[in-house]
Structures are given as C-alpha cells and as structure tokens.
Amino acid sequence: MSSPATTRPHSPVSATARLAPARPAVPPELRVADNPAAAVLRSATRGPIFRDIAAQTTGLSIATVNRQVSALLSTGLLRERPDLTASGAVGRPRLPFEVDTDTFMTLGVHIGFTVTRIIAADLSGRILGGLEIATPQTGQDAALTIVARSAKAFLDRLPRRRPLWTGVALAGRVDAAAGVVDHPRLGWTAAPVAAVFSAVLDLPVSVSAHVEAMAAAELLLTPRDPDARPGSSLYIYARETAGVAVTLHDRVHTPANGPGSITHLPTGSEVECRCGRRGCLEATIGERELLSRAVRQGILPKPEAARRARITDLYRTADTDAAARDLLIERAEILGRTAALIRDMFNPDRVILGGQAFTGYRPGIDRVAAAFTRNTELPDADLRISRFGGRVQESAAAVTSLSVFYADPISAIRRAIRTR
C-alpha cells in the first residue's frame, strides 16, 4: 500500500483549479442502452466477433451493424482483426472486429470508509492494474485532493494508454448530476467530488453511489445469457457499510434523492450503533466492529501500534478457534436473515449478494444461504453471489468510468477527446 504526499493547507479546489478548470459532472448510465452503437460495442467486449454474429446477438439488421461498426472503427473504439479472417468462404471475406483494448483506458476510484482503491480498466471492462491507499481522514476537500493526486500519479505510470474518463464510486447520498456527495460516515457534506477530480485529472468525471454501481457491473461487465429475461434484481452489499440497489428491466433504479438505506435495519444484536440504538445492521456486521468484538473477547490479540488487526486475521483464526468461527457464523446468520427480509419486501426475480461480508469467509456463504431460506416467506428464490467476489469495489469503480461509453460510445469518445 502506498501513501500519497500530503497536501498544502490552502483550499484544494482553488489549488487544483489552476491545473485545469473543473467541468460539469456527467451522470453515469447504469443501464443496458438500446443505442445501436452501444449494442455493437457491447457485443465486441468479449473478444473478436463477426458482423453476422453481432447482428444475431444484438437483434440489429446486418446493414445497421455494418454502419455502426464503420462509425466505431473511425473513433478507434473498435479495431478489425484481419488475422482472424474466415478462410474458404465464397465472396467477400468475413472480417471480425473487437473492442480496442490496447489504446485507451478509463480510471476508476472506489472511496471506501477505510480503504480507497484506484484502478485502470480497458474498454472491455478488464482491470489493468491498481493500488490501494488509506482513505484520508481529513476534511473533505483535502481528502478528495489527496485521492485525486494519487490517481494522477497512478495514471502517470501508464503512459502508453490514453485515459478517457474518470469514474468515482462511494457510499453516501450522491447527486450524480452535480457530482457532489454527502457521506455521513466520513463527515462529508456536499463534497465536490467531480469538481476536484476534474480539476486534477483534466478528464470527464462521473460519480455514482457504489452499491448502484455494483449492481450495474452485474449488468454491463458480465456475459449476458441470451435466453434470460430482463426481469428484476435485488443487489445487497455488505462489508464496512451496507446498502441495497434494485435493477428493473436492465436499468439500475437511481432515485433522484439518492439510494435507500439499510444502515439501521434492526438485527436483534446488542451492538451499539452511532445513532444511539442497539443492533443496527451496519454497526453489527461492519468489519471494524467485528474486529473490535474479537479483540474484546480475546479471540484476537490487542493490536500493536504499528499494525491494526485485519479481517483476514479473524478468518485465519477461525480455522482453529471455535469462538472466532462462532463470531463469523453469527454474522452470516444475521446477513442471511436480513437478505430474506429485504427480499420479501421487493420480491425480485433474483437476489445478488456482494461484498466481503458475504464472500470473504467461504464457510459463511452456506450459512447465509441457509438463514435466507429459513427466513423468507416467499417461494424459493434465485439467490446468487456476485461474480466479482472480492473485487466488487473495483468493478463498481470500473463500471462508473465506462457506463457512458456503453450507453452512447460515439458521443462519449467525442466528449472525452474534446476535453483533452
């Protein structure tokens, strides 16, 4: 983990504004768009594809596919693969195309309560690399500038690719149109996320509520089952924070007033929450509180000054210590009951569980599923674990940086190039 340089004490926004003028935020597009160019681009994100196969996959006519491929080739978002031309065919050779995964990249940032992840992604959504830094526990403007400058330093280490866009995903109440965020856990109010990142990086910026972005990653960054109906999905996230997002007919529901909250759902535990009540969900299942309980109960040693206990320490201890296992199984049971309660409220076609509280301790996954089944009042559910496992934060950052391209690629590339 690397530590960025500290900032000067004057206003970060005014300081970074001298580097580049801040531009308006661009709201992310957390949906599967019906734009023909977007459909063609998405069809090529999994590797080389022929035009006739793209027409079958997208439902577009071959003439429309040909027009869109030509337009996307001219922007550089697609490239042809003459080395893969089908041989032996009569008439014009079949020439496949694919997304150009070598020229461009986007920058994704996930700002967590304790850890911030900075990643680069190619246009197919593949993560090229990244780093972690401690989330600065300073005033919001200084913290944002530290993170943005760390992201700039990271980009400077990848000079062979052209950055196009920045996506920032984080908890709290996000105004995507303005690019500002209220984050009570970090003490941020109307934090100018988009303005700071735009000024430091000189790139278009999209800002998203992180659980909504995680739900969008399931839509946009995973292979689609051609026989699956769009339907509805409920995405439940849990790690240090907890959140929920709903997807309806290939679009993540993004309420104008910000996402709903499950932070204070009652769990029946005796853990005291910062709100003054006991048993609130986030306070009960959050990693920091879980580690504190493990230390208080003597399961883990008191942390030394140079090193704080980590959740992986508790997982390792659970291999041989029954008290550690009981603590983790208790969390799994609470998560399963809570997921069932939320599922019964929405009755979606499928439920997706994401975040390391679900996936970090593998023996706990079966306990989550069992508790879910025991406590739901509805028929059997399509219950899934996120395909991104321990990388859900990176997937949220990546999709926030890519979603505008996946919705309207030609307009997005023109905007990105115009701002450079």
Side-chain angles (χ1 to χ4, degrees):
M1 182 180 296
S2 58
S3 299
T6 56
T7 56
R8 298 176 183 175
H10 52 64
S11 168
V13 175
S14 62
T16 54
R18 289 196 293 271
L19 298 177
R23 298 180 177 85
V26 182
E29 297 280 356
L30 307 183
R31 61 190 176 93
V32 176
D34 55 7
N35 181 302
V40 170
L41 182 74
R42 287 197 310 272
S43 74
T45 56
R46 302 299 158 199
I49 188 170
F50 291 97
R51 285 165 171 78
D52 56 338
I53 303 300
Q56 296 173 17
T57 301
T58 62
L60 300 171
S61 69
I62 190 67
T64 299
V65 168
N66 283 331
R67 285 195 300 272
Q68 301 306 323
V69 169
S70 296
L72 290 166
L73 287 171
S74 69
T75 66
L77 295 174
L78 293 183
R79 63 187 175 192
E80 291 182 318
R81 292 291 303 274
D83 56 311
L84 298 179
T85 301
S87 60
V90 177
R92 183 178 178 181
R94 296 173 70 226
L95 186 63
F97 63 92
E98 65 181 2
V99 170
D100 185 339
T101 55
D102 297 325
T103 303
F104 302 114
M105 66 178 172
T106 61
L107 176 75
V109 180
H110 178 271
I111 301 176
F113 179 57
T114 58
V115 174
T116 290
R117 291 171 173 81
I118 301 168
I119 61 98
D122 66 23
L123 294 180
S124 73
R126 180 173 61 96
I127 294 175
L128 304 170
L131 76 158
E132 290 185 358
I133 63 172
T135 300
Q137 303 298 312
T138 60
Q140 60 190 37
D141 290 346
L144 286 169
T145 301
I146 291 170
V147 174
R149 287 178 176 170
S150 297
K152 178 69 165 61
F154 172 67
L155 278 186
D156 289 344
R157 304 208 308 259
L158 301 169
R160 301 175 112 186
R161 291 175 180 267
R162 182 173 184 176
L164 295 176
W165 211 273
T166 300
V168 183
L170 68 171
R173 196 161 297 279
V174 176
D175 182 338
V180 299
V181 178
D182 293 335
H183 196 310
R185 291 288 301 274
L186 290 175
W188 294 2
T189 302
V193 176
V196 173
F197 276 87
S198 172
V200 173
L201 293 160
D202 194 20
L203 292 170
V205 180
S206 297
V207 184
S208 176
H210 70 160
V211 181
E212 292 176 355
M214 291 171 193
E218 301 289 336
L219 278 180
L220 298 174
L221 300 184
T222 59
R224 291 179 63 79
D225 181 354
D227 298 323
R229 296 180 178 178
S232 59
S233 297
L234 174 67
Y235 190 98
I236 303 173
Y237 170 79
R239 190 181 187 183
E240 191 64 54
T241 60
V244 63
V246 175
T247 300
L248 299 170
H249 301 291
D250 285 345
R251 178 188 291 267
V252 179
H253 179 52
T254 54
N257 197 33
S261 174
I262 58 173
T263 298
H264 300 291
L265 279 183
T267 66
S269 82
E270 291 300 315
V271 176
E272 186 173 348
C273 179
R274 67 182 188 277
C275 72
R277 297 190 294 268
R278 292 183 180 274
C280 295
L281 176 65
E282 199 169 274
T284 301
I285 59 88
E287 288 184 357
R288 179 173 289 191
E289 172 57 31
L290 202 66
L291 290 171
S292 295
R293 292 171 62 193
V295 171
R296 290 196 301 269
Q297 295 175 24
I299 298 170
L300 293 178
K302 291 183 178 180
E304 301 174 1
R307 184 184 184 278
R308 292 172 52 187
R310 298 180 180 179
I311 196 67
T312 50
D313 298 332
L314 185 59
Y315 295 157
R316 283 193 296 268
T317 302
D319 291 339
T320 56
D321 188 289
R325 284 195 298 275
D326 289 345
L327 198 60
L328 292 167
I329 293 305
E330 178 189 21
R331 180 180 67 167
E333 295 277 349
I334 289 171
L335 287 169
R337 291 199 306 269
T338 302
L341 170 67
I342 301 170
R343 182 260 177 146
D344 287 359
M345 292 168 60
F346 289 96
N347 194 18
D349 295 309
R350 66 195 67 86
V351 178
I352 303 172
L353 308 178
Q356 286 83 345
F358 288 112
T359 64
Y361 182 59
R362 296 201 63 81
I365 295 175
D366 290 341
R367 292 300 188 105
V368 170
F372 177 93
T373 300
R374 286 196 309 271
N375 288 278
T376 183
E377 297 295 328
L378 300 177
D380 291 344
D382 181 358
L383 182 66
R384 308 177 184 182
I385 297 293
S386 170
R387 305 181 196 190
F388 297 100
R391 304 193 75 177
V392 290
Q393 292 84 9
E394 289 92 334
S395 74
V399 80
T400 305
S401 70
L402 287 165
S403 68
V404 175
F405 285 90
Y406 288 175
D408 193 345
I410 295 175
S411 293
I413 189 68
R414 287 173 179 166
R415 180 166 191 157
I417 291 173
R418 188 168 61 245
T419 60
R420 299 298 289 166

